[in-house]
Amino acid sequence: KIADLYQIWKDRPRNKRPTPGRDAVARNIFDRFADYMKRTAPRTTETASLRKEHIDGYLDEVEAEGVSARTWNGHLQMLRGAILRADPFAEINRHLKEKRAKTETTAHRTPFTADELERVFAAAAERDPLIHGLIVTAACTALRRGDVAKLRWSSVDLIAGYVTVKTSKTGEDVEIPIFPPLQKVLESIPRRGPFVFPEAEKIYRRAPDALDRRLQQVLADAGF
């Protein structure tokens, strides 16, 4: 069963037990793949029935989130190893073996200064209020694009001053203090449904790159 892949990965013989962080990453990957299959091919429940388009579609969805080549390769390697162990004779193993990993490059990034962030915030507030809220949230929490777009009110405690989320990268729960700029943004948003940014969640679900394009316009306005 596709739903059993995490347990198969966890139970395989190894010299050392996985660290809690690696275990969380593995669980997140296998749970995401199982969820993807339920959404896109609900009748395909066993590894023997997996096809090329299932694997490629899942990896394309992961790539659309803007993850690094290393993260993308991690998804591929996890699926490759677990499916091979679960079902050595499944046809999909040939495709998984032939699927090429991405070239990993080290990115050297210079963070924005406080003054530069203020310029970006100001440009966003003038051009695109939705992106302004997303940018402030990202800057104050270090959450990834998808985690910000899918942030739920149930994760926000304005009284205690914390945001508690399960990150998409590791699957672990983290508590993040709410800094004043984020407090101001959150207090200004009316609660209409489970998501803090319902419009962003809808855009992210349908076309994540659309958020990137709007962000690029804001950065251009700010001089970047």
Side-chain angles (χ1 to χ4, degrees):
K1 298 289 186 180
I2 292 171
D4 296 333
L5 286 175
Y6 165 71
Q7 199 60 46
I8 290 170
W9 174 87
K10 189 177 181 67
D11 292 343
R12 73 176 177 84
R14 47 169 61 90
N15 293 328
K16 292 183 179 179
R17 295 183 62 183
T19 63
R22 182 161 179 78
D23 184 83
V25 169
R27 179 186 286 275
N28 181 53
I29 290 174
F30 293 123
D31 285 352
R32 284 190 59 184
F33 181 63
D35 176 69
Y36 172 82
M37 292 301 299
K38 286 180 181 178
R39 288 188 286 109
T40 62
R43 294 185 179 182
T44 302
T45 60
E46 299 180 349
T47 54
S49 301
L50 286 170
R51 297 291 178 263
K52 175 180 180 294
E53 56 268 24
H54 298 144
I55 299 297
D56 292 350
Y58 172 74
L59 292 174
D60 287 345
E61 186 174 281
V62 171
E63 184 174 17
E65 294 188 352
V67 301
S68 66
R70 182 178 181 181
T71 298
W72 188 92
N73 290 341
H75 282 256
L76 172 61
Q77 291 163 4
M78 283 282 188
L79 291 176
R80 180 187 287 160
I83 293 173
L84 179 63
R85 181 169 184 80
D87 191 354
F89 302 105
E91 292 183 13
I92 195 60
N93 287 317
R94 180 188 297 273
H95 178 62
L96 284 166
K97 183 178 180 180
E98 295 174 349
K99 188 80 174 175
R100 297 183 62 181
K102 293 182 179 295
T103 301
E104 298 182 14
T105 56
T106 302
H108 299 282
R109 299 184 177 92
T110 302
F112 287 108
T113 65
D115 289 340
E116 288 172 339
L117 271 180
E118 289 296 339
R119 283 166 50 194
V120 174
F121 292 166
E126 183 175 346
R127 170 182 277 272
D128 195 330
L130 173 62
I131 294 298
H132 175 261
L134 299 179
I135 290 175
V136 172
T137 304
C140 291
T141 63
L143 291 173
R144 292 172 171 239
R145 176 186 58 178
D147 292 322
V148 173
K150 295 185 291 185
L151 182 64
R152 292 175 177 268
W153 283 116
S154 59
S155 299
V156 177
D157 188 337
L158 290 174
I159 297 177
Y162 281 93
V163 173
T164 305
V165 294
K166 186 183 293 291
T167 64
S168 61
K169 182 176 181 180
T170 66
E172 296 181 323
D173 290 329
V174 293
E175 285 189 346
I176 305 167
I178 298 176
F179 295 111
L182 178 56
Q183 181 92 16
K184 184 177 179 180
V185 166
L186 294 174
E187 289 178 345
S188 70
I189 300 174
R191 301 199 180 198
R192 298 171 181 168
F195 296 103
V196 177
F197 305 104
E199 182 184 350
E201 189 277 333
K202 186 180 297 183
I203 294 172
Y204 180 78
R205 182 160 28 91
R206 295 177 178 176
D209 290 347
L211 293 175
D212 292 343
R213 290 191 292 271
R214 289 170 65 168
L215 171 60
Q216 289 165 2
Q217 292 173 343
V218 166
L219 292 175
D221 288 352
F224 298 101

